[in-house]
Amino acid sequence: MYRFLLSRQWVILTLVALALIPTMIELGFWQLHRHEHKVALNKVISDSLAAKPVPVETATAPGRQIRDDDLYRRVTAKGHFDTAREEVVRRRTNADGAIGYHVLTPFVLDDGRVLMVNRGWVPADGAQTAFPKIPAPAPGEITVTGRLMADQTTADSGIKNVRGLPDRQVMLISSGQEARRLGKEVLGGYVEQTAPAPKGDSPELIPDPEHSDIGPHMAYAIQWWLFSAGVPVGWVVLVRRERRDRAEAAVAETSPQAEPAGV
């Protein structure tokens, strides 16, 4: 009755179905883990933005990686900007999606160590080989407030760290790379400046990160699990249909053919 299941076609179909079930279950758990990570990150961002600013020296140090719990933490730093050693980060967009640069300026602390500060976004008005015009920050000693960020990597950002760029241009922000360039102690990570606001609103300060959207990952997880449950159901439906079609064909072959009329 079910000997057709031993045919080459049905053996292959069954093996494919057996392989799909655990694969889809695993994909569902992968999406679930992404959902959990997104929810946890949103909480970290929310808690960090709501907390009172702390001195940057309490959250990072030269060569230190930023802890997950300190991401987006509001920090303060006292010192002065070194615009002579300023760089720009290529191919960054503003809130409207326009392509330009992020302005990366060394901020020299009172003890001589350096904090890299992302002062915001400026448009790419000229040739990409030319250094853009950037409004100067407030001169002299000031206090900067901003969000503490981890060093950027290709793995996390998807941005390739291209070499051989024009002078004072980079693709990723790396405190280790900046320490080698400046020849000074550079605090790990960097800060996205939120205060003081620049004169004339340029560079454009980077807005707070979105932390209310949890994304579609949970829905995707449920979809994958439903797909995995549907595979055996579909296999059973196909088997029953094949059995019925073969039974009907067998009956048709054994039934006597009707004689032509008039004979």
Side-chain angles (χ1 to χ4, degrees):
M1 185 178 299
Y2 291 100
R3 290 182 60 84
F4 63 87
L5 292 176
L6 299 177
S7 66
R8 183 173 182 272
Q9 175 184 354
W10 274 97
V11 168
I12 293 175
L13 180 62
T14 302
L15 291 176
V16 170
L18 291 174
L20 283 176
I21 294 172
T23 300
M24 291 179 175
I25 292 174
E26 182 62 27
L27 287 171
F29 279 110
W30 174 61
Q31 289 291 348
L32 176 62
H33 294 155
R34 294 188 67 186
H35 168 78
E36 293 172 342
H37 173 75
K38 181 66 174 178
V39 171
L41 180 60
N42 284 350
K43 186 178 186 306
V44 168
I45 296 174
S46 178
D47 292 346
S48 296
L49 296 179
K52 293 182 179 180
V54 299
V56 69
E57 296 90 342
T58 65
T60 184
R64 181 188 299 179
Q65 292 185 349
I66 305 303
R67 299 184 308 169
D68 290 345
D69 291 345
D70 287 329
L71 283 174
Y72 302 97
R73 180 180 291 275
R74 293 198 300 157
V75 295
T76 60
K78 187 177 180 181
H80 66 275
F81 282 110
D82 180 8
T83 54
R85 310 298 298 276
E86 195 166 62
E87 288 184 319
V88 292
V89 188
R90 291 167 60 97
R91 299 195 63 78
R92 294 299 190 267
T93 57
N94 66 355
D96 297 324
I99 297 177
Y101 303 94
H102 280 175
V103 180
L104 187 64
T105 310
F107 189 77
V108 183
L109 307 179
D110 290 342
D111 61 7
R113 294 183 298 178
V114 174
L115 170 69
M116 300 308 299
V117 175
N118 185 341
R119 295 203 289 124
W121 180 90
V122 294
D125 293 332
Q128 291 189 4
T129 56
F131 196 77
K133 295 181 179 180
I134 302 172
E141 187 171 81
I142 62 172
T143 297
V144 168
T145 303
R147 296 179 293 267
L148 184 61
M149 306 295 294
D151 288 333
Q152 297 175 347
T153 65
T154 298
D156 291 335
S157 67
I159 300 172
K160 185 178 180 180
N161 195 14
V162 179
R163 304 294 181 180
L165 296 175
D167 188 39
R168 299 169 65 190
Q169 296 189 25
V170 296
M171 295 299 297
L172 299 170
I173 302 175
S174 166
S175 59
Q177 180 176 305
E178 295 301 325
R180 292 188 292 272
R181 179 178 73 93
L182 299 173
K184 295 184 177 181
E185 286 189 306
V186 177
L187 301 186
Y190 67 99
V191 165
E192 290 180 346
Q193 182 177 339
T194 58
K199 293 182 179 179
D201 295 326
S202 183
E204 295 179 20
L205 294 180
I206 300 173
D208 287 345
E210 168 61 46
H211 56 281
S212 60
D213 182 15
I214 60 174
H217 304 300
M218 178 58 78
Y220 290 160
I222 294 173
Q223 285 180 359
W224 281 118
W225 290 332
L226 290 176
F227 290 157
S228 68
V231 169
V233 173
W235 185 86
V236 171
V237 170
L238 291 176
V239 168
R240 296 183 65 178
R241 181 182 298 173
E242 180 75 8
R243 176 178 175 274
R244 183 193 62 203
D245 292 346
R246 287 174 178 267
E248 291 176 353
V251 170
E253 289 178 359
T254 57
S255 296
Q257 296 182 351
E259 295 183 355
V263 177

